[in-house]
Each structure stands twice: as structure tokens, then as C-alpha cells.
């Protein structure tokens, strides 16, 4: 096994080995803009308005944000990114990144795309996971009403029943193809409903192998308890847990709703508490690998190093199939590529879909990364370090 002490996230030549000079300069421009908080907010508002009023901005968005953070508008367009990643030993997590759909035609289309994604994953060992959001198959309001205990009307009951059937079909299809399926986390006020549906699938399909993965957002105060309870329940019921650990992507939205409606925020008050919860969850999962498999979705260097150290102390192989590291496509390349060089299992979340439908995802990325002190600052410093190493002008 490789010595974990040799894992370093500072090697920019490895991190950006797949990026030609022109692309690196484009990245420098993009992350510089995203680091400007006010400009990002104005830009997000402009993009939403421009698309709403059908202004000719699609080409600009596609050549900047979209092309950097997404694989394409369909699966065929994704193949180039999949091949490029696999040449560096990095796997692809296929993510049809539509959400908040509200018509049967849209749900049917999502089902078809998910089936095609599973087919592609089954035929390519470089695609170990397919991921989706439950709101791509069900109206948000129905999931929210179900969680709140509000009785659904006849039409809503029919829709919710159809939703459960669709999810069951896609899980059965993935199972027959031997492809692992990940269910993304969403807002806390629909998450219990999502978890209940996911739990039913896990108890059915995770008897011998881990096929279905549930996402745990560790910025939530209740999540450490929910994680340990989920493992206890899985052990008692005789199935294995599929766990994707993330910090969480809806922080501002969660805090605002809690404030507006007058209930305690479900989110840890500080980043340090979230970091601690995440790392403790990592350790908890790695110590229970006989009962689970884990995908750690993180751009935090300390958490990723912590994970390699635990694996080394447990004498786990770097490429143990029960353990994956994951980062988003277009971000955290210094983590992904350097881990892959040490033969750790690394997956890049590769979102795809029609540009308009993927915009909520893209705007969340811009919102998450607007703090120059945070992720964007780190990404930018490494990009500039590599530009200097290549003796290219900023």
C-alpha cells in the first residue's frame, strides 16, 4: 500500500495535467469572477432573468460556467470528459442534474435518461455510480406535504404513488445492471420523505452488496445521531448501508427558512462544528466497513488527508472498493488527481442536462464558491501557481 504521507495536494503539475494552457487561463478568469461576492450575486440574478426572458445568453453561459462544471447537455457530450478523467485514473459519477420538475412528461424523460445512464455505466468500468435527485421525479410540494403530515388530495396521492413506482423501477433496473445508484440530499423539509423512500430501496437491494446510497449532510445538527441510527437499523434489519457523506449545499436557504418561520436552524452555527461532524462521521464509517460502503464527497483538504490517514492506520488498500473519494467536476482537481495518482478510488461528479434545467445546480456552485477566503480562493491560488510554473501571464 502507498504511504499516505506521500499524498500531497500541492502538486499543481499533477492537478492540472489534463488542462492545456488556454483552458487554465480560462479557469483563472472564471474563479476570479466567482471570488467577487457582489458580482456573483448580480450575475446570478442577470442569468436567471436573461433565461426567463429568453435573451441570447445561452452561448456565453455554455462557454463559461456550463462547460467548466458540466459534462454536456446529454450523455453523448459527456463521453469526452469521461474518457479524459479515466486516462488519469479518475472515475465518473454520472449526475443528470435536473431538479424541481413538475410534469409527467418531464418525469418520463428523466426516467429515460436515468436508464440510458445506467446502460452506459454498465458498459464502462470507469462509471461506478449514477446519481439523481428525487425532485426530478416528484413535485417538491408533494414531498413537503408528505413530510409535514398534510393529507394529499386524490391527484397528489396518485402522483406520489406513481413516483414510488418510478423510483422502484429505476432501482430494479440498476440492480439488474449491477450499477450503484446514489440518491442526492435536498432541503431538510423534504429530506425525511426522501430518506424514507431511499431506506425502503436499501432494505430491498443492499442485502449482499451495497447498491443504493443515501446522502448524509453533515452540516445538520441532527445528522451524527441519524447516521449512527441508520447503521443500527441496517444491522438489525440485515442489510448494508450505502453512505455518501457531504457537508451540505443549502446552508443559506436552510437558515433563512428557519429564521422566517421561527424555528431553530437545523445547521451547525459554525464551519468548525460542521468540519468536526464530517470528520467524526468519516471515522465512524471507516470503522464499520463490514456493514457499509462510503463515498466521501469533500473539497476540504484536511478531511481528505484525514481519510487517507485512517485508511493507512487500518491497513486498508488504497483502492478498497468500499471506499470512494469524490469531488465535483471542475473543482478540487488538486485533490482528485493527486489522490488518483496514489491509486485511491476517486470519482468526479459529472453533471449533465439541458443548460436551462441545470442552471439551479450551476448557480449553487457559484453561490457556494463566492467567498475568496474559502474554496474559490484556494482553487485560484493553485491555478495561478500552475500558471507561474508554466511561465504563463495571468
Amino acid at each position: 500500500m502507498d504511504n499516505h504521507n506521500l499524498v500531497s495536494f500541492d502538486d499543481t503539475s499533477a492537478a492540472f495535467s489534463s488542462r492545456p494552457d488556454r483552458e487554465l487561463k480560462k479557469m483563472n478568469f472564471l474563479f476570479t469572477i466567482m471570488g467577487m461576492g457582489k458580482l456573483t450575486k448580480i450575475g446570478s440574478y442577470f442569468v436567471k432573468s436573461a433565461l426567463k426572458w429568453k435573451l441570447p445568453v445561452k452561448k456565453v453561459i455554455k462557454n463559461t460556467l456550463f462547460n467548466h462544471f458540466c459534462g454536456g447537455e446529454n450523455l453523448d457530450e459527456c463521453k469526452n470528459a469521461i474518457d479524459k478523467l479515466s486516462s488519469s485514473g479518475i472515475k465518473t459519477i454520472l449526475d443528470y442534474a435536473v431538479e424541481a420538475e413538475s410534469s409527467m412528461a418531464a418525469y418520463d424523460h428523466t426516467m429515460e435518461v436515468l436508464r440510458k445512464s445506467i446502460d452506459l455505466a454498465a458498459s464502462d468500468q470507469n462509471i461506478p455510480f449514477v446519481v439523481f435527485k428525487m425532485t426530478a421525479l416528484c413535485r417538491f410540494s408533494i414531498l413537503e406535504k408528505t413530510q409535514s403530515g398534510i393529507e394529499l388530495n386524490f391527484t397528489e396521492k396518485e402522483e406520489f404513488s406513481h413516483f414510488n413506482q418510478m423510483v422502484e423501477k429505476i432501482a430494479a433496473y440498476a440492480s439488474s445492471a449491477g450499477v450503484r445508484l446514489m440518491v442526492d440530499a435536498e432541503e431538510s423539509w423534504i429530506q425525511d420523505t426522501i430518506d424514507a423512500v431511499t431506506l425502503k430501496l436499501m432494505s430491498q437491494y443492499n442485502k449482499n452488496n451495497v447498491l443504493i446510497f443515501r446522502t448524509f449532510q453533515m452540516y445538520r445538527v441532527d445528522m451524527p445521531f441519524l447516521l449512527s441510527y441508520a447503521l443500527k437499523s441496517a444491522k438489525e434489519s440485515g442489510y448494508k448501508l450505502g453512505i455518501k457523506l457531504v457537508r451540505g449545499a443549502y446552508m443559506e436557504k436552510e437558515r433563512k427558512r428557519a429564521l422566517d418561520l421561527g424555528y431553530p436552524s437545523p445547521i451547525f452555527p459554525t464551519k468548525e462544528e460542521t468540519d468536526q461532524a464530517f470528520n467524526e462521521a468519516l471515522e465512524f464509517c471507516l470503522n464499520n466497513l463490514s456493514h457499509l460502503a462510503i463515498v466521501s464527497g469533500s473539497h476540504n483538504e484536511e478531511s481528505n488527508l484525514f481519510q487517507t490517514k485512517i485508511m493507512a492506520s487500518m491497513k486498508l488498500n488504497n483502492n478498497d472498493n468500499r471506499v470512494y473519494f469524490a469531488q465535483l467536476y471542475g473543482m478540487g482537481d488538486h485533490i482528485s488527481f493527486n489522490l488518483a495518482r496514489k491509486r485511491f478510488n476517486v470519482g468526479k461528479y459529472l453533471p449533465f442536462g439541458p443548460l436551462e434545467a441545470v442552471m439551479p445546480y450551476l448557480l449553487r456552485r457559484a453561490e457556494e464558491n463566492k467567498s475568496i477566503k474559502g474554496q474559490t480562493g484556494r482553487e485560484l491560488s493553485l491555478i495561478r501557481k500552475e500558471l507561474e510554473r508554466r511561465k504563463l501571464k495571468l
Side-chain angles (χ1 to χ4, degrees):
M1 186 178 70
D2 292 327
N3 187 335
H4 71 273
N5 290 321
L6 297 179
V7 180
S8 166
F9 299 139
D10 294 318
D11 186 348
T12 59
S13 64
F16 302 112
S17 57
S18 65
R19 307 279 187 182
D21 294 353
R22 189 179 169 199
E23 202 173 325
L24 198 65
K25 285 182 175 181
K26 198 173 179 180
M27 286 171 69
N28 179 54
F29 169 77
L30 192 60
F31 279 94
T32 300
I33 295 296
M34 286 199 304
M36 299 175 184
K38 284 184 180 176
L39 196 59
T40 300
K41 205 162 192 176
I42 294 164
S44 296
Y45 176 78
F46 170 73
V47 166
K48 285 177 189 172
S49 304
L51 288 171
K52 182 182 177 182
W53 296 105
K54 303 210 179 332
L55 298 177
V57 295
K58 186 173 175 179
K59 191 174 180 182
V60 175
I61 298 167
K62 187 155 188 181
N63 287 333
T64 52
L65 267 181
F66 186 87
N67 280 352
H68 185 73
F69 291 110
C70 300
E73 295 203 63
N74 54 55
L75 281 169
D76 283 337
E77 288 184 14
C78 286
K79 286 175 183 173
N80 182 47
I82 295 166
D83 292 343
K84 206 171 175 183
L85 289 169
S86 68
S87 68
S88 296
I90 295 173
K91 311 283 190 187
T92 292
I93 299 169
L94 273 181
D95 176 19
Y96 183 48
V98 301
E99 54 192 89
E101 295 288 5
S102 57
S103 73
M104 285 299 172
Y107 303 149
D108 289 343
H109 180 67
T110 297
M111 284 289 286
E112 187 57 30
V113 176
L114 286 174
R115 283 194 193 97
K116 286 179 179 174
S117 299
I118 290 165
D119 289 341
L120 182 59
S123 70
D124 190 339
Q125 61 181 7
N126 292 304
I127 309 171
F129 299 95
V130 169
V131 64
F132 72 102
K133 273 183 158 55
M134 293 283 190
T135 49
L137 293 170
C138 185
R139 272 195 289 156
F140 193 103
S141 59
I142 291 176
L143 297 172
E144 187 176 7
K145 272 189 175 181
T146 303
Q147 182 157 323
S148 303
I150 299 168
E151 190 171 351
L152 303 178
N153 63 34
F154 179 77
T155 307
E156 289 168 336
K157 281 179 183 172
E158 290 280 299
E159 276 190 54
F160 192 60
S161 173
H162 184 61
F163 157 67
N164 277 281
Q165 288 168 22
M166 285 190 292
V167 172
E168 169 58 40
K169 279 180 187 172
I170 212 66
Y173 196 78
S175 177
S176 64
V179 173
R180 285 170 281 186
L181 203 58
M182 233 186 270
V183 179
D184 257 348
E186 303 193 52
E187 291 87 345
S188 62
W189 54 100
I190 61 169
Q191 191 59 49
D192 290 356
T193 313
I194 291 168
D195 287 342
V197 175
T198 310
L199 177 65
K200 188 180 173 189
L201 297 178
M202 282 202 291
S203 63
Q204 188 175 348
Y205 291 101
N206 288 9
K207 294 285 188 188
N208 301 311
N209 300 309
V210 182
L211 185 92
I212 308 293
F213 284 72
R214 168 184 166 185
T215 302
F216 292 80
Q217 298 181 100
M218 299 312 300
Y219 67 179
R220 278 180 48 175
V221 175
D222 59 352
M223 206 50 66
F225 168 76
L226 292 176
L227 178 60
S228 60
Y229 183 77
L231 180 61
K232 182 173 175 282
S233 299
K235 283 180 179 177
E236 288 172 356
S237 303
Y239 64 89
K240 294 185 177 183
L241 267 185
I243 293 173
K244 187 183 85 166
L245 283 186
V246 296
R247 277 169 169 78
Y250 302 92
M251 186 172 70
E252 290 186 12
K253 198 174 183 182
E254 291 279 1
R255 285 180 174 160
K256 185 180 184 305
R257 186 177 189 267
L259 193 65
D260 290 347
L261 298 181
Y263 62 86
S265 171
I267 307 301
F268 279 115
T270 67
K271 182 182 181 299
E272 289 73 24
E273 287 168 287
T274 298
D275 290 343
Q276 184 180 342
F278 186 92
N279 286 351
E280 286 174 359
L282 256 183
E283 194 162 12
F284 175 80
C285 291
L286 291 170
N287 281 314
N288 285 283
L289 283 177
S290 54
H291 302 285
L292 59 84
I294 176 179
V295 177
S296 169
S298 175
H299 295 134
N300 183 289
E301 292 173 22
E302 287 179 17
S303 291
N304 283 288
L305 281 174
F306 181 61
Q307 185 172 343
T308 66
K309 288 174 183 175
I310 299 171
M311 290 176 71
S313 70
M314 294 176 69
K315 295 183 168 50
L316 292 174
N317 288 328
N318 288 7
N319 63 350
D320 188 305
N321 198 42
R322 298 167 295 179
V323 183
Y324 262 81
F325 296 76
Q327 287 79 43
L328 299 168
Y329 184 72
M331 287 171 62
D333 285 355
H334 63 295
I335 295 172
S336 309
F337 282 77
N338 282 303
L339 282 170
R341 286 181 78 197
K342 299 299 171 191
R343 302 191 184 280
F344 287 99
N345 292 322
V346 182
K348 277 287 197 187
Y349 241 64
L350 187 69
F352 70 97
L355 187 143
E356 292 87 347
V358 176
M359 278 318 296
Y361 169 86
L362 286 174
L363 293 175
R364 272 204 307 279
R365 293 292 76 79
E367 186 69 26
E368 274 177 25
N369 291 291
K370 70 185 179 186
S371 169
I372 198 73
K373 293 174 186 172
Q375 185 65 34
T376 302
R378 177 62 171 151
E379 298 270 357
L380 196 52
S381 69
L382 290 163
I383 290 165
R384 289 179 176 174
K385 182 182 171 186
E386 178 61 9
L387 285 169
E388 285 172 20
R389 192 191 70 82
R390 295 186 191 182
K391 295 182 170 55
L392 297 170
K393 289 182 180 178
L394 292 180

